[in-house]
Amino acid sequence: MCTCKRVRLGTLAVLCLVWLCVVGVGGTRIPPESSQTFGLGKPATSAEIQSWNIDVGPDGEGLPPGQGSVQEGAKVYTATCAACHGPTGREGPMNRLVAGEGTLGTDHPVKTVGSYWPYATTLYDYIFRAMPPTAPQTLSPDEVYAVVAWILFQNGIVDETTVLDRQSLPAIRMPNREGFVPDPRPDVP
Amino acid sequence: MNPRDVQLGDWMNKATKILRNVFPGRKFNRRAFLLGATSLLGVTATPWLFPSRSEPAPMNPADPTRVPGSPARMYGQRSPFVEARRIPALTRSRTPLQDLHGVITPSALHFERHHNGVPAIDPTRHRLLVHGLVERPMIFSMDELKRFPAVSRLAFIECSGNSGSQWEEPVQLTAQQIHGLISTSEWTGVSLALVLRESGIQPEATWILAEGSDAAALTRTLPLASIIDEALLCYAQNGEPLRPEQGYPLRLLLPGWEGNACIKWLRRLKLVAGPLMTREETSKYTDLMPDGKARQFTFEMEAKSVITTPSGGQRLPQPGFVEIRGLAWSGRGRVTRVEISVDGGMAWQPAELQEPVLPKCHTRFRLGWWWDGKEALLQSRCTDETGYIQPTRRDLIRVRGTNSYYHYNAIQSWKITKEGRVENVYV
């Protein structure tokens, strides 16, 4: 009788242990290497994605419809950009945008859009998201295409009749396109 | 008497009783209490009522054992005698390394770098969007992100422009002015890998765009395989929610990588098939070499150390014992050794490292020294667990020239003059 009770209690204890191992206390244990998700977050709607999806890649992906000419760009530049970058993009006081060709390997490199930037698409992306600093993301696609065209014209990369859009902008090859190398560090013995 | 006066009277009676219990030998009544309270108010309120041009004089009774101290506070403040402060400019401020102890930077002194101001963000409205090459684009509230399994770790964040002035001719600056774009905090958040799992990553996704919710909408693209093991989406710093200037309510932390890549005010992660060549990874944060080529995606911050005591602008009062103290760190792991030279790099001796020594974190080092009053040249040189040794300035410049601007990590030399002045020199 007594032994029988012990056996039954023992079985119960083993079953409890097995149950704890499988189910855990108060829920299921999540092994660290599992691919289980947590069911947190909500599916993003296309409207939510669209309102923030403003990046432009080097292949032009993300460029919106619209177009802008060098002539229109001159007006946008004078009204919006010249106060910080100078009347022709060479004077500053903020980052110089124009000139500097052939200076990168010298003692006094001048890093500008024309001499340094490897992709023209970066100009569209950056100007729309961050310029002018007092009112970022307010320029229209036409205005951004136009001011990009004007800056590239000032650098001698496009001619003055150029009109840029989502097809023509990614096709522009920047002078310093091959000017970048991967990180070789550690490099100092 | 209106009910409010009754309440006030009750409160004063209670306070008087408490004082009688605390100071049993003294006489307290409501009149004495009122007098005490008003005089205390007078002392504390005077600087507010009559602000002077300089800092208000600290309340410092001749004998603090004879005057009751100030009451408890909702949010603590440091002593008015403590003056360590950042040096703010429009887009950055630097940590006063020479005034700190141990390895943790107080949150209020963590360096800042921002590209169009510190945004004011309501956390209840903040969202993180995960999209691009994923199975399910997802959007997360801050409450949802905090429900994921959390993790805390100590890590430094260093701006890759830190110490950049040292590429050029030496100028007399402090450790803070030269090297103050680095700080260490305990960061708490959720592993990036766990959050991405909710969306399911497509096999072509090899890079990830991170975007801030500031007025620069700052973006970097990052190689996914290199960051996935350690990247954290952080919502807390040193036990509190992030400071606004550190990305409140959410920032990316990439331990050991340049600060610019640790996007603050994080609002969007987009899985992509290659780098998007954002402005911050082409026109900026690339390292121009003497041959005119620029290194790109130079993320890791290499091993570096700096003596903070004694350091630039300080003065040794007289010959005698000086504990040389400083900080060392490596973006590639643990600091394994720090050596000190007092003769400009001819002889080296090991410094003591304060335990625990953690990977990708500040390591505090110390070495006792007897200054004999003669001219001396103090240097520290650290080695990390990969065997990398912090280079001399001469070796660094021989390889990289002086136009790379970012990632300066050469040995710092401080000259001690016979008068005890500490000057920034190149050896």
Side-chain angles (χ1 to χ4, degrees):
Chain A
M1 189 65 188
C2 194
T3 326
C4 202
K5 219 177 201 175
R6 248 184 241 150
V7 168
R8 261 187 292 175
L9 275 173
T11 316
L12 193 66
V14 168
L15 280 174
C16 280
L17 266 177
V18 169
W19 181 80
L20 273 174
C21 286
V22 172
V23 179
V25 180
T28 311
R29 278 189 55 79
I30 295 153
E33 296 305 320
S34 87
S35 58
Q36 179 168 353
T37 57
F38 296 88
L40 294 168
K42 291 170 190 64
T45 65
S46 51
E48 283 169 329
I49 296 171
Q50 210 179 349
S51 64
W52 285 357
N53 191 21
I54 57 171
D55 55 88
V56 173
D59 55 0
E61 191 170 333
L63 281 171
Q67 60 171 42
S69 68
V70 172
Q71 273 73 29
E72 288 149 5
K75 287 179 224 156
V76 178
Y77 181 87
T78 304
T80 317
C81 321
C84 292
H85 295 287
T88 73
R90 292 169 179 82
E91 302 86 355
M94 299 310 285
N95 291 353
R96 294 175 68 178
L97 308 175
V98 177
E101 279 166 81
T103 64
L104 296 183
T106 70
D107 286 344
H108 299 284
V110 179
K111 296 194 278 184
T112 71
V113 171
S115 70
Y116 198 60
W117 290 40
Y119 294 93
T121 46
T122 309
L123 265 180
Y124 190 102
D125 178 278
Y126 181 66
I127 291 170
F128 176 70
R129 75 172 55 247
M131 290 288 119
T134 47
Q137 298 180 40
T138 56
L139 293 177
S140 70
D142 287 355
E143 288 172 315
V144 180
Y145 280 120
V147 83
V148 169
W150 186 86
I151 293 167
L152 295 175
F153 167 67
Q154 287 293 306
N155 278 292
I157 296 167
V158 300
D159 67 41
E160 63 185 322
T161 64
T162 298
V163 176
L164 289 180
D165 60 20
R166 65 200 299 185
Q167 269 80 43
S168 55
L169 176 59
I172 291 166
R173 193 169 176 82
M174 297 293 276
N176 197 38
R177 172 73 178 77
E178 301 301 328
F180 292 83
V181 294
D183 182 2
R185 298 175 304 159
D187 58 331
V188 182
Chain B
M1 261 188 164
N2 67 35
R4 206 172 147 207
D5 288 339
V6 174
Q7 271 181 8
L8 190 66
D10 271 2
W11 180 77
M12 279 196 294
N13 285 336
K14 276 181 195 159
T16 313
K17 260 185 209 162
I18 290 168
L19 283 171
R20 278 193 196 120
N21 288 336
V22 174
F23 306 100
R26 296 212 193 162
K27 284 179 187 167
F28 286 101
N29 53 33
R30 282 177 56 161
R31 188 159 163 260
F33 177 80
L34 268 177
L35 265 173
T38 37
S39 57
L40 189 69
L41 185 73
V43 172
T44 48
T46 304
W48 299 100
L49 295 172
F50 306 101
S52 64
R53 264 173 202 281
S54 58
E55 291 281 303
M59 221 174 68
N60 52 341
D63 182 352
T65 66
R66 290 173 183 254
V67 185
S70 47
R73 287 173 174 161
M74 293 215 315
Y75 195 84
Q77 288 174 355
R78 62 184 182 174
S79 158
F81 294 97
V82 179
E83 292 186 337
R85 60 191 66 186
R86 300 188 290 211
I87 304 170
L90 190 61
T91 61
R92 72 199 71 191
S93 69
R94 294 168 198 269
T95 294
L97 298 176
Q98 69 283 353
D99 297 327
L100 302 183
H101 306 272
V103 297
I104 292 176
T105 312
S107 301
L109 294 175
H110 192 293
F111 85 89
E112 299 167 80
R113 177 75 180 93
H114 24 82
H115 291 72
N116 199 2
V118 177
I121 296 176
D122 175 353
T124 63
R125 288 171 48 207
H126 190 74
R127 295 290 181 273
L128 175 69
L129 171 66
V130 179
H131 73 124
L133 297 172
V134 297
E135 303 300 334
R136 301 169 295 278
M138 298 292 288
I139 197 157
F140 300 91
S141 67
M142 286 307 302
D143 284 345
E144 286 165 330
L145 290 169
K146 287 181 194 166
R147 284 179 60 197
F148 278 95
V151 55
S152 297
R153 73 169 288 172
L154 271 80
F156 75 81
I157 296 181
E158 183 178 19
C159 175
S160 51
N162 195 24
S163 328
S165 63
Q166 304 302 286
W167 293 111
E168 292 155 20
E169 288 308 299
V171 274
Q172 287 319 312
L173 298 170
T174 64
Q176 175 176 18
Q177 289 167 317
I178 300 173
H179 305 292
L181 294 174
I182 182 162
S183 304
T184 282
S185 293
E186 187 208 49
W187 305 98
T188 300
V190 46
S191 156
L192 170 68
L194 286 191
V195 174
L196 292 185
R197 206 189 270 173
E198 299 292 315
S199 284
I201 307 170
Q202 291 179 13
E204 319 86 82
T206 49
W207 288 64
I208 186 166
L209 174 87
E211 182 180 79
S213 193
D214 58 328
L218 196 82
T219 45
R220 289 290 299 259
T221 35
L222 307 156
L224 195 54
S226 307
I227 67 166
I228 198 70
D229 289 341
E230 288 192 76
L232 293 183
L233 308 183
C234 297
Y235 42 78
Q237 172 188 12
N238 297 332
E240 288 184 305
L242 297 175
R243 292 289 166 118
E245 59 269 39
Q246 296 312 319
Y248 182 81
L250 188 68
R251 82 171 300 165
L252 183 61
L253 174 71
L254 305 170
W257 281 24
E258 62 185 7
N260 181 259
C262 303
I263 298 290
K264 296 185 280 190
W265 315 290
L266 185 69
R267 76 167 184 184
R268 188 162 73 101
L269 294 168
K270 183 180 188 178
L271 280 298
V272 290
L276 296 188
M277 302 296 173
T278 74
R279 184 251 196 181
E280 307 298 326
E281 61 207 23
T282 53
S283 143
K284 303 288 175 182
Y285 300 94
T286 46
D287 309 32
L288 186 61
M289 293 294 115
D291 65 358
K293 298 282 185 196
R295 295 173 178 178
Q296 195 179 22
F297 304 119
T298 42
F299 295 116
E300 277 172 343
M301 299 307 296
E302 294 188 295
K304 185 163 161 184
S305 67
V306 59
I307 294 170
T308 52
T309 307
S311 62
Q314 294 179 343
R315 192 175 180 130
L316 300 182
Q318 72 265 320
F321 180 75
V322 177
E323 187 173 63
I324 297 172
R325 300 169 183 157
L327 290 165
W329 60 93
S330 168
R332 296 200 183 104
R334 282 180 179 78
V335 168
T336 52
R337 189 167 68 233
V338 178
E339 299 155 287
I340 305 278
S341 172
V342 295
D343 57 9
M346 287 189 286
W348 295 91
Q349 47 188 319
E352 188 189 327
L353 304 186
Q354 174 70 59
E355 294 288 341
V357 175
L358 298 172
K360 305 177 183 185
C361 180
H362 272 156
T363 298
R364 174 67 64 177
F365 65 84
R366 302 181 182 99
L367 179 72
W369 176 51
W370 289 88
W371 181 49
D372 56 10
K374 294 180 186 150
E375 224 176 70
L377 260 180
L378 268 53
Q379 298 180 325
S380 64
R381 174 175 77 182
C382 73
T383 305
D384 72 16
E385 63 182 294
T386 70
Y388 175 89
I389 302 170
Q390 184 183 9
T392 63
R393 183 174 185 274
R394 190 176 299 151
D395 285 344
L396 187 68
I397 284 177
R398 188 165 42 75
V399 175
R400 299 192 196 161
T402 54
N403 291 325
S404 65
Y405 190 81
Y406 301 101
H407 301 103
Y408 182 96
N409 71 322
I411 291 169
Q412 165 73 51
S413 306
W414 300 120
K415 178 180 168 181
I416 313 289
T417 69
K418 283 177 196 149
E419 298 77 31
R421 286 198 312 275
V422 189
E423 295 174 353
N424 175 32
V425 293
Y426 298 157
V427 175

